[in-house]
Amino acid sequence: MNLNDTPRADRLHIGLFGRRNSGKSSLINRLTGQEIALVSDTPGTTADPVFKSMELHPVGPVVFIDTAGYDDEGELGLLRVGKTRDVIDVTDIGIIVVDGQEISDRDFDMEKEWIGRLKEKNIPIIMAVNKIDMGAPVCGGTFDEAEFKDIPQITVSAVTGEGIAELRTLISEAVPEDYMRRRILGELVTEESLVVLVMPQDIQAPKGRLILPQVQTIRELLDRKCTAVATSADVFARTLNNLKRDPDLIITDSQCFRQVYEIKPEKSLLTSFSVLFAAYKGDVGKFMEGAGYISELGKDSRVLIAEACTHVPLGEDIGRVKIPRMLRQKAGEGIEIVNVCGNDFPDVEELRSFDLIIHCGACMFNRAHVMSRIAAAEAAGTPITNYGIAIAEVTGILDKIEVTDK
């Protein structure tokens, strides 16, 4: 990845859904101006979802997602449809692509079903009637049914480009209101803020690089004209002594919460990268509420620890070693810890078997993905919290740290 690129997790995700041969792949290629998706007249050409990052004026950095047809058949086809269904969990805006040549002789029950799936997650929807270059009619007829009345509709041609500019405009108009306003640091800083970042460079830190939450936080501090001072945990006290005044805010790795809290200046606010991302990527209120259940855990409890990335665990891994150790010290050695990573996540029925879910900061996921997991936990009736918030609760300083929901 180019260091100047916006991470995929911070890009608006636009998913294209439709039946086989409706022209989703051709439309993706036309929207991006690149031949990124394989196009063929053979039904079922697209198997796994294809993600393409690009800049879309005036929205900014986006990811277009090409999916398999939701009418695919057979054993393999059903697996493809399952992958398409999973894409909904990461989608910010959904485009339903319809083959305009078939409007007159199709019942559209399948379109209604998938529109319902998107609406269930409050995802903005656009309906694109494709192939108008082949004589497809303009929107009307079946599309006047109640299920489609509140959905913007447009006729396009992935071949000639007709309607593509208008489709881009509809996409920009569908961007959720709070999407561009969300900031990692919320209202915790101003232009005059002095911020100290405590970043241990241990075995988990990639050699020669900083981890993504650190990079993104530093960049936002610079953009907001703050003064940022970076240090490591072992020289944190010396760093404070070298400053002319106490910092307004200290952002630490959650693993160092207790160490930093014990020597920080009284008036300096304290938070962690993971806690900041709890609000930036998820629902910090739900995570704070979920942390309250840690005190109820016992030796017979079952806890799910979910990590967004799929790195190979090294030494004192936070999700597989450090947090489990903290939980066992608090609840007893008999507590069962289950770890999952990447896109692996139990369904609602299995989530009901857990007493608590602890999720990482999810720097590798977009917000829609994290919110879908929170929704699944809520549907299961299982409390969910976040690495940093959980560590603050276990170490007894949750009421002493700062959170933001902006």
Side-chain angles (χ1 to χ4, degrees), residues 138-369:
V138 296
C139 296
T142 306
F143 292 102
D144 290 333
E145 295 184 30
E147 290 86 350
F148 304 112
K149 281 195 175 294
D150 61 341
I151 300 175
Q153 300 173 21
I154 188 169
T155 52
V156 298
S157 169
V159 175
T160 67
E162 185 175 352
I164 296 300
E166 292 79 4
L167 177 55
R168 291 194 182 108
T169 298
L170 284 179
I171 292 172
S172 67
E173 292 173 349
V175 176
E177 287 186 11
D178 71 338
Y179 179 79
M180 302 303 292
R181 295 199 306 266
R182 296 196 69 81
R183 297 185 292 185
I184 296 170
L185 290 146
E187 304 301 324
L188 293 179
V189 297
T190 66
E191 284 192 9
E192 299 179 356
S193 294
L194 171 60
V195 181
V196 171
L197 303 104
V198 184
M199 306 184 299
Q201 301 307 296
D202 55 19
I203 191 172
Q204 297 297 328
K207 184 175 178 58
R209 295 184 289 125
L210 300 175
I211 62 175
L212 187 56
Q214 295 169 353
V215 173
Q216 291 181 279
T217 302
I218 291 171
R219 175 56 192 263
E220 184 173 310
L221 287 168
L222 296 177
D223 288 343
R224 296 176 68 173
K225 311 301 181 186
C226 300
T227 300
V229 177
T231 188
S232 56
D234 55 337
V235 295
F236 174 56
R238 186 177 72 194
T239 301
L240 292 176
N241 290 332
N242 288 338
L243 297 175
K244 291 185 177 180
R245 68 177 180 89
D246 292 340
D248 301 294
L249 176 67
I250 299 169
I251 307 172
T252 182
D253 188 294
S254 300
Q255 301 172 66
C256 304
F257 253 147
R258 172 55 67 177
Q259 176 185 351
V260 172
Y261 173 74
E262 289 178 349
I263 61 175
K264 81 172 186 70
E266 182 179 354
K267 293 185 178 180
S268 297
L269 303 179
L270 175 64
T271 190
S272 78
F273 296 100
S274 182
V275 171
L276 290 174
F277 273 70
Y280 183 55
K281 291 296 181 76
D283 184 332
V284 72
K286 290 289 183 185
F287 287 147
M288 293 288 284
E289 181 182 331
Y293 287 85
I294 292 177
S295 61
E296 299 182 14
L297 297 176
K299 59 183 179 61
D300 296 324
S301 297
R302 196 163 186 253
V303 177
L304 176 70
I305 298 181
E307 189 160 20
C309 60
T310 55
H311 70 274
V312 177
L314 299 171
E316 292 281 286
D317 185 81
I318 183 170
R320 295 169 178 83
V321 178
K322 292 185 178 180
I323 291 179
R325 180 192 299 145
M326 291 178 181
L327 294 177
R328 291 189 176 103
Q329 289 172 347
K330 191 173 185 68
E333 287 295 327
I335 188 172
E336 182 182 355
I337 310 290
V338 177
N339 291 89
V340 295
C341 62
N343 289 320
D344 292 338
F345 196 71
D347 59 23
V348 170
E349 187 60 36
E350 187 177 351
L351 288 177
R352 292 194 177 101
S353 69
F354 292 97
D355 298 288
L356 179 66
I357 303 164
I358 304 178
H359 207 289
C360 73
C363 61
M364 301 304 293
F365 282 175
N366 68 335
R367 188 165 187 266
H369 201 165

Side-chain angles (χ1 to χ4, degrees), residues 11-82:
R11 292 174 177 266
L12 187 81
H13 283 48
I14 304 166
L16 277 74
F17 305 90
R19 303 192 192 212
R20 290 170 293 171
N21 279 3
S22 59
K24 300 184 298 298
S25 299
S26 298
L27 193 55
I28 285 248
N29 290 342
R30 175 61 72 166
L31 281 165
T32 61
Q34 302 176 46
E35 297 296 316
I36 62 159
L38 181 63
V39 175
S40 169
D41 291 333
T42 303
T45 299
T46 301
D48 288 332
V50 176
F51 292 74
K52 175 59 181 178
S53 299
M54 66 168 292
E55 295 288 323
L56 180 68
H57 181 78
V59 177
V62 303
V63 175
F64 282 106
I65 312 172
D66 189 15
T67 64
Y70 48 55
D71 64 334
D72 215 336
E73 301 171 332
E75 185 177 350
L76 182 57
L78 291 177
L79 292 175
R80 291 170 176 168
V81 173

Side-chain angles (χ1 to χ4, degrees), residues 91-92 164 231 250 305 372 395 399:
T91 297
D92 295 300
I164 296 300
T231 188
I250 299 169
I305 298 181
S372 72
T395 55
D399 61 337

